[in-house]
Amino acid sequence: GQNIDQPTEMTATEGAIVQINCTYQTSGFNGLFWYQQHAGEAPTFLSYNVLDGLEEKGRFSSFLSRSKGYSYLLLKELQMKDSASYLCAVRDSETDSWGKLQFGAGTQVVVTP
Amino acid sequence: ETGVTQSPTHLIKTRGQQVTLRCSSQSGHNTVSWYQQALGQGPQFIFQYYREEENGRGNFPPRFSGLQFPNYSSELNVNALELDDSALYLCASSIGTGNDGYTFGSGTRLTVV
């Protein structure tokens, strides 16, 4: 099985930076995804990491360390619309079910004026 | 390109009844996965369909079943509904292994009373 741990909630000010950490314990690993989910809406894809290092996409960056079982999502220049739940998900390499993602419970980010 | 569409958006059923939820995958996507998301939790993998065959299953009982059609659309069927089945049911589609991300629908909110 797998354990995906991330903080429950984080609060930050508009314009600031927030880093959401995710740790995982898996018997296999074939990629880590970050999704954003606004209340009542579909999760939307933010990033995919399979190799160690930093992936940057505009205001969002994601980092992976496979040896440490650790990832973070960095949100820069926070905007009010960034208030949402951020989901960390790991794909298990021990299965042919490439659509099987193990999700953490999500981190609720609250952006204040 | 159209995204993933799910129907209905909301549904109320009585304990013991059966329900069918529907999903139309994004154009060109041949893999469909279904997830159950309880309030305040991350999505939990139910099963995946590829080329009309179930290709991986999560920890859900056999009363959760599905179908995929030649046009890659899919159904989730749940028999003998229980109160704990109340959740948001999400469908996600991808092309093959989904390394470019899985596209989620907005979900069906099922309430069992």
Side-chain angles (χ1 to χ4, degrees):
Chain A
Q2 299 183 107
N3 292 317
I4 317 293
D5 293 313
Q6 51 182 129
T8 304
E9 185 172 311
M10 303 182 75
T11 300
T13 307
E14 196 174 12
I17 298 173
V18 71
Q19 177 174 313
I20 307 169
N21 295 325
C22 172
T23 57
Y24 62 90
Q25 293 178 307
T26 67
S27 52
F29 178 83
N30 190 19
L32 186 144
F33 296 78
W34 284 96
Y35 279 84
Q36 178 193 62
Q37 187 177 28
H38 286 97
E41 297 183 11
T44 55
F45 170 73
L46 293 177
S47 68
Y48 168 67
N49 294 69
V50 68
L51 299 176
D52 291 350
L54 187 68
E55 295 279 344
E56 297 188 82
K57 275 187 184 181
R59 296 190 298 114
F60 294 74
S61 303
S62 57
F63 172 83
L64 175 68
S65 170
R66 289 173 295 170
S67 62
K68 295 181 180 178
Y70 168 71
S71 173
Y72 68 73
L73 179 70
L74 195 69
L75 286 62
K76 304 175 202 172
E77 301 169 17
L78 278 173
Q79 301 175 9
M80 297 299 290
K81 67 177 182 179
D82 297 330
S83 293
S85 179
Y86 291 83
L87 299 162
C88 172
V90 173
R91 183 165 59 191
D92 185 349
S93 67
E94 293 189 350
T95 175
D96 291 332
S97 304
W98 51 80
K100 180 180 180 181
L101 301 181
Q102 299 282 348
F103 281 87
T107 298
Q108 186 66 44
V109 170
V110 178
V111 181
T112 59
Chain B
E1 72 187 8
T2 58
V4 176
T5 57
Q6 293 186 241
S7 62
T9 54
H10 295 83
L11 199 56
I12 299 175
K13 288 285 190 178
T14 304
R15 189 171 50 183
Q17 284 188 312
Q18 179 266 344
V19 69
T20 297
L21 311 181
R22 295 180 174 82
C23 171
S24 293
S25 59
Q26 182 167 317
S27 178
H29 285 192
N30 57 12
T31 303
V32 173
S33 303
W34 284 91
Y35 289 81
Q36 179 194 68
Q37 187 175 23
L39 204 60
Q41 299 297 315
Q44 298 293 313
F45 176 77
I46 303 175
F47 43 56
Q48 172 186 290
Y49 277 83
Y50 174 67
R51 293 184 176 178
E52 303 175 55
E53 296 285 331
E54 186 180 293
N55 183 29
R57 190 177 184 91
N59 189 26
F60 281 81
R63 59 189 184 84
F64 285 77
S65 64
L67 285 172
Q68 186 180 32
F69 301 99
N71 66 356
Y72 304 132
S73 66
S74 177
E75 286 183 355
L76 165 65
N77 299 290
V78 187
N79 294 323
L81 283 167
E82 301 177 359
L83 297 179
D84 285 349
D85 295 334
S86 295
L88 179 68
Y89 288 85
L90 294 164
C91 169
S93 73
S94 66
I95 299 174
T97 57
N99 289 351
D100 292 329
Y102 301 86
T103 303
F104 281 83
S106 296
T108 294
R109 172 70 64 185
L110 173 65
T111 302
V112 182
V113 297

